Amino acid sequence: MTASPPPLPTVRADLLDRLAEDRRYDLAVVGGGATGLGVALDAAARGLSVVLLESQDFAKGTSSRATKLVHGGVRYLAQGNVSLVREALHERSTLLQNAPHLAQPLPFVMPSYKLWETPFYGIGLKVYDALAGKAGLGDTEFLGRDRTLQLLPGVQPAGLRGGVKYWDGQFDDARLAIALARTAAARGALLVNYCPVDALVHEAGRVAGLRCHDAETGRAFTVRASCVVNATGVWVDALRQQDGEATHRPVRPMVAPSQGVHVVVDREFLPGDHALLVPKTADGRVLFAVPWLGKVILGTTDTPRDDLAPEPHAFPDEIDFILRESAHYLRRAPGRSDVRSLWVGLRPLVKPQGDDGDDTKAISREHTVLTSASGLVTVTGGKWTTYRAMAEDVLQRCAAAGLLPASSTGVTNHLPLVGAPDAGTVRHRISDAPGLHGYGSEQAAVAQLPGAGVELAPGLTEAMVRFAVRHEYARTVEDVLARRSRLLFLDAARAAALAPRVARILQEEGVLDAADAAFAPLAAQYQLGA
């Protein structure tokens, strides 16, 4: 494995001092999820001066709460959206190549309990393969009953007729987001989390920058920029409304949030290395059972939401749906006591103009880019898999509006992310339990830090906590246990028990407020019945 360059420090005082400098950026990005981070990286890779501000932690919202799949969208193919599937399949291949330590191929099996299901879904998945072309990850296979049981030893055998095997990808979403942030920083971008944007700055009716403050100290900043991109996900309408009020123009909401719930159970419910997909349950929804970081993710739901809570709660019927449908397809039915963690993500679905309905399953999963009369560029919608293509589209729109200089696309098509190891050197799977291997080419840098031999929990050492603070922008216990480590998403009770030890390490690392008190109620939300 080629030696990785020394990791850049993320000393907060230094970041804030840079933010206070009197300068004008080419681009200011508001929002540190997948979309905003992708835009920042693409722009920095083109040589533009970039600043990105996030009110909470990077990937705190939707971007850390995905189903963990890098996929072309089998469902979208069934809906006839061929262009979206083709783009996503291309981007799937690109992502897997640029971050092989965080994103990898994953085989799926669709079990068949009716005679027509194997040929019906198998033919559709052959089309999926054809659309992928050279970017395909493996051939679709028609399976008999015995082979299906072999690949899915946890599947319900009663009534099983056979199945179809196909390929997609999976990833660690939050750690990929941090890798995007760090890669953008390595290209010169300034990224600051816990720095809410308070207001846009307008000059002569045009957006000319923004005002923000450090959430830890209250220190205020004014940032000037030629172009401001609003990439705040389900919250984009808040900044759009502020822009409209400042310029006396009406703004129609463009996002209809949809809620997706996931629950996590132990690997014994689905042993092996294949994921399970039921494309259509009894009520028409999709069910996934995905091996991930030593556990199994079950989900998901698609429920309209009117509110935008930072920590949305699962509705009881959503949990009941996941457990009930899982019981139909797994040999051993998981119960409420088997749930190790659960989380809820809000999808920023783009609402068609004139549509006031609440059927989010019918709303577009494609992204949308809008440029206001004042020059505020807003992007929302889309999905993790296509973050890079979305970023290119945003920058093209910025250039078309005269906000940024025109430049060639494709600069991130073959840009390895921080930690990406040499081709062929990855020997672990994303479905394996977490460990030092997840740091890719930076394993040695982590192992050199104090506490490398002190394990706090399986796959998490004191050195990893220190690395999170020193090089990965972590500022709170939640940052470490939810997004640098994924323990909160894997076992919420264990994460809660570990919080005091993590807080002490953060204090040793000089974090201003490392108390773990705020983590306990958060961890409770990830525990069923808490």
Side-chain angles (χ1 to χ4, degrees), residues 74-234:
V74 173
R75 284 185 297 166
Y76 312 141
L77 182 62
Q79 297 168 1
N81 198 335
V82 174
S83 62
L84 177 61
V85 174
R86 184 181 286 112
E87 177 187 59
L89 287 170
H90 170 77
E91 292 302 320
R92 179 189 69 178
S93 176
T94 300
L95 179 51
L96 267 58
Q97 291 173 6
N98 288 344
H101 58 311
L102 298 173
Q104 299 166 2
L106 177 69
F108 282 74
V109 173
M110 286 186 184
S112 302
Y113 291 88
K114 298 176 182 177
L115 285 174
W116 61 267
E117 289 178 325
T118 296
F120 178 80
Y121 291 119
I123 292 171
L125 288 167
K126 286 289 187 181
V127 175
Y128 195 61
D129 290 348
L131 287 173
K134 294 181 179 180
L137 304 178
D139 294 333
T140 292
E141 302 175 37
F142 294 80
L143 308 175
R145 183 178 188 276
D146 291 345
R147 181 61 172 160
T148 301
L149 288 169
Q150 182 182 10
L151 298 181
L152 287 180
V155 77
Q156 172 60 255
L160 182 67
R161 304 282 188 152
V164 181
K165 175 182 176 179
Y166 77 101
W167 289 82
D168 250 322
Q170 70 172 162
F171 72 134
D172 186 334
D173 50 5
R175 288 205 58 82
L176 184 68
I178 300 304
L180 287 173
R182 297 179 61 213
T183 307
R187 294 293 179 123
L190 172 61
L191 300 97
V192 187
N193 54 353
Y194 295 103
C195 192
V197 170
D198 302 310
L200 295 170
V201 173
H202 291 81
E203 295 177 358
R206 301 286 295 176
V207 173
L210 49 84
R211 288 191 291 271
C212 59
H213 73 275
D214 172 25
E216 294 185 6
T217 65
R219 182 181 178 186
F221 305 88
T222 297
V223 177
R224 294 179 297 135
S226 299
C227 179
V228 176
V229 170
N230 174 16
T232 53
V234 293

Side-chain angles (χ1 to χ4, degrees), residues 460 477-483 485-488 495 499 502 519:
L460 177 63
V477 172
E478 180 194 344
D479 294 349
V480 173
L481 292 177
R483 289 173 292 278
S485 158
R486 307 311 308 276
L487 187 59
L488 180 62
V502 172
F519 187 73

Side-chain angles (χ1 to χ4, degrees), residues 456-475:
L456 303 174
L460 177 63
T461 65
E462 285 189 1
M464 292 175 183
V465 177
R466 299 186 194 281
F467 190 83
V469 176
R470 297 183 188 185
H471 304 293
E472 296 181 327
Y473 298 93
R475 302 300 300 168

Side-chain angles (χ1 to χ4, degrees), residues 202-335:
H202 291 81
E203 295 177 358
R206 301 286 295 176
V207 173
L210 49 84
R211 288 191 291 271
C212 59
H213 73 275
D214 172 25
E216 294 185 6
T217 65
R219 182 181 178 186
F221 305 88
T222 297
V223 177
R224 294 179 297 135
S226 299
C227 179
V228 176
V229 170
N230 174 16
T232 53
V234 293
W235 293 275
V236 292
D237 285 328
L239 205 59
R240 292 179 64 239
Q241 187 65 41
Q242 184 189 120
D243 178 49
E245 291 173 356
T247 56
H248 307 290
R249 295 184 178 94
V251 172
R252 183 181 180 87
M254 65 182 293
V255 171
S258 167
Q259 174 168 295
V261 175
H262 302 80
V263 302
V264 173
V265 297
D266 289 332
R267 191 65 172 271
E268 63 195 52
F269 287 94
L270 188 67
D273 301 316
H274 289 66
L276 180 153
L277 169 64
V278 178
K280 192 172 184 179
T281 59
D283 65 354
R285 286 185 278 189
V286 176
L287 178 71
F288 292 98
V290 180
W292 186 70
L293 297 182
K295 299 289 186 180
V296 175
I297 299 172
L298 304 175
T300 178
T301 59
D302 198 345
T303 308
R305 288 293 299 242
D306 294 326
D307 60 317
L308 294 176
E311 285 291 341
H313 290 261
F315 297 117
D317 62 335
E318 292 180 298
I319 298 170
D320 291 342
F321 160 75
I322 292 173
L323 295 178
R324 181 181 67 250
E325 292 301 321
S326 297
H328 293 160
Y329 296 99
L330 296 178
R331 185 190 300 264
R332 179 185 167 197

